[in-house]
Amino acid sequence: MKKLLFIFCFSGLFFNGKAQDIPSYSFEELEEKIITESEERALVVNFWATWCAPCIKELPYFESLTEAYAPDKLKVLLVSLDMDKERAVKFKEKKKLQSDVAYLDEVDFNKWIDKISPDWSGAIPATLMISPEGNSSFYEGEFTKEELYEQVKRFFNKTD
């Protein structure tokens, strides 16, 4: 009986141990996704990495937004800028992130940062908010939960 229990537990670890993948995008593909998603609803795009302590600190606030708003009203897209995609995949699984997570597979950040915002120095965390009408607002730096909710409320109410 102990032998069967051991085999059952071991096989469960083996088959369930594979991390769930996240989609990888070139910048052009990500840009197209952002445009398409923002035409359908308000979109909040957060750029983060697993090595960025302020990014990790504020991720639960973005997760809270995903839970607080109906999916047809507001969507949160978490874009990992990690150099190693597997770190982002494992982090997503470990933290059980419910927001959409994407991996930006671009090594030349200077090629696309200005396309997100000419105001972006390249530091993370960074957040882009886009209304269905095409208005956008960019924020560089860490949010508290209250600041994030206030910015979301102010930006999307202003653009309604």
Side-chain angles (χ1 to χ4, degrees):
M1 184 66 178
K2 287 182 182 179
K3 188 175 184 179
L4 281 175
L5 182 60
F6 174 76
I7 291 171
F8 177 76
C9 291
F10 180 74
S11 64
L13 287 174
F14 179 75
F15 291 112
N16 292 328
K18 186 176 179 185
Q20 195 172 35
D21 201 13
I22 58 176
S24 295
Y25 296 99
S26 67
F27 178 75
E28 291 76 19
E29 293 168 331
L30 179 66
E31 186 176 40
E32 182 61 33
K33 180 175 179 62
I34 289 171
I35 291 169
T36 303
E37 296 276 353
S38 66
E39 289 173 348
E40 299 169 2
R41 71 202 117 203
L43 181 65
V44 176
V45 182
N46 177 253
F47 295 90
W48 67 285
T50 57
W51 48 263
C52 168
C55 301
I56 302 308
K57 184 178 175 185
E58 71 176 8
L59 279 178
Y61 314 147
F62 289 93
E63 285 289 284
S64 173
L65 278 179
T66 295
E67 294 172 10
Y69 286 87
D72 62 327
K73 299 289 183 197
L74 184 136
K75 180 175 182 172
V76 173
L77 176 61
L78 304 173
V79 178
S80 168
L81 301 182
D82 281 282
M83 299 305 273
D84 176 9
K85 179 182 173 183
E86 284 307 308
R87 284 186 65 138
V89 169
K90 289 177 182 173
F91 184 86
K92 178 189 181 216
E93 186 167 294
K94 180 180 174 185
K95 298 295 182 180
K96 300 181 181 357
L97 298 178
Q98 297 302 307
S99 302
D100 279 4
V101 178
Y103 178 74
L104 183 56
D105 194 11
E106 292 280 350
V107 292
D108 186 1
F109 296 100
N110 293 324
K111 194 170 97 179
W112 56 267
I113 283 177
D114 284 344
K115 294 178 182 176
I116 297 294
S117 172
D119 299 329
W120 191 5
S121 74
I124 54 174
T127 304
L128 177 67
M129 295 181 190
I130 307 174
S131 72
E133 296 78 28
N135 299 313
S136 66
S137 186
F138 178 77
Y139 307 89
E140 185 174 312
E142 179 185 348
F143 282 115
T144 64
K145 185 176 182 179
E146 293 76 24
E147 290 168 339
L148 177 61
Y149 272 76
E150 180 61 31
Q151 289 299 326
V152 165
K153 185 178 173 184
R154 185 180 312 155
F155 177 72
F156 292 114
N157 284 343
K158 182 176 73 177
T159 60
D160 278 346

